[in-house]
Each structure stands twice: as C-alpha cells, then as structure tokens.
Amino acid sequence: MVQDINKLTDNVNDIKSLFRTLNDTLESIEKRLSRLEKMDSIEHRVEVNQIDLSDIKESLQRIEETNNRDIQHINRRLDSHLVKIAKLEENMIIFKCK
C-alpha cells in the first residue's frame, strides 16, 4: 500500500513537472507569436508608408509639371512685356533725339 502511494505520488510529481514544462513551452510560443505579430505590424506600417510616400511623390511630380507649364507661360508673357517695354524705351529715345 505504501509503495502504491509512493508510485502515485511520483506519478503526480511527474505530471506536475510535465505541466510546468508544457506551460514554459506555451509561454515561449506566445512570446514568439507576439514578436511575429509585431513584425507583421511593422512590415504593414512600412508598406503603408511606402504607398503613402509614393502617392505624395506622384502628386508632387504632377504639381511640379503643372507649375512648370504655368511658369513657362508666365515667362513667355514676361518676355513679351519686356520686349514691348524695350521697344517703347527705344521709341522714347528716338523721339528725344529728334
């Protein structure tokens, strides 16, 4: 009877030890999964930020193209006005000399 109780006690202790080992293993797995989730989250944020940056870059390029056209148009108008002013100055000088 005492031997049976000792065997049962040993078996219970073995089961407790197995449960502790299982618990440690589960904690380790949970930590690894947590890190993987964080990695997924970081990778997702990086991808989203890359998309956002790409969109911003494309928008800036479109704005730059539009502004370049506007600036070119403004430059042509300024050039034509400068030519008109130069002709008027030339005419004024000619009239002064007469």
Side-chain angles (χ1 to χ4, degrees):
M1 182 84 173
V2 173
Q3 283 183 343
D4 288 339
I5 292 177
N6 284 338
K7 280 185 180 182
L8 276 174
T9 304
D10 287 343
N11 285 339
V12 166
N13 287 334
D14 286 344
I15 291 172
K16 284 181 177 180
S17 175
L18 287 172
F19 272 121
R20 281 190 207 105
T21 303
L22 179 63
N23 189 35
D24 290 343
T25 303
L26 285 174
E27 284 179 6
S28 173
I29 289 172
E30 284 177 346
K31 286 179 184 176
R32 291 170 116 186
L33 284 173
S34 174
R35 274 189 254 134
L36 282 175
E37 286 174 0
K38 286 179 185 174
M39 286 294 291
D40 274 350
S41 175
I42 290 170
E43 288 173 359
H44 176 73
R45 277 186 278 168
V46 167
E47 287 175 10
V48 168
N49 286 339
Q50 284 176 340
I51 291 170
D52 289 345
L53 289 175
S54 296
D55 290 345
I56 291 169
K57 182 180 176 185
E58 288 173 6
S59 296
L60 285 173
Q61 286 174 337
R62 274 187 263 122
I63 289 170
E64 188 177 69
E65 288 171 4
T66 303
N67 284 341
N68 276 341
R69 280 187 238 123
D70 289 345
I71 289 173
Q72 287 174 353
H73 178 70
I74 291 169
N75 281 339
R76 282 193 300 269
R77 290 191 64 191
L78 285 173
D79 286 343
S80 69
H81 284 296
L82 287 172
V83 168
K84 287 178 185 176
I85 290 171
K87 285 182 181 177
L88 283 173
E89 285 178 343
E90 186 180 348
N91 286 336
M92 287 172 57
I93 291 171
I94 290 173
F95 284 126
K96 279 185 182 176
C97 290
K98 286 184 177 182

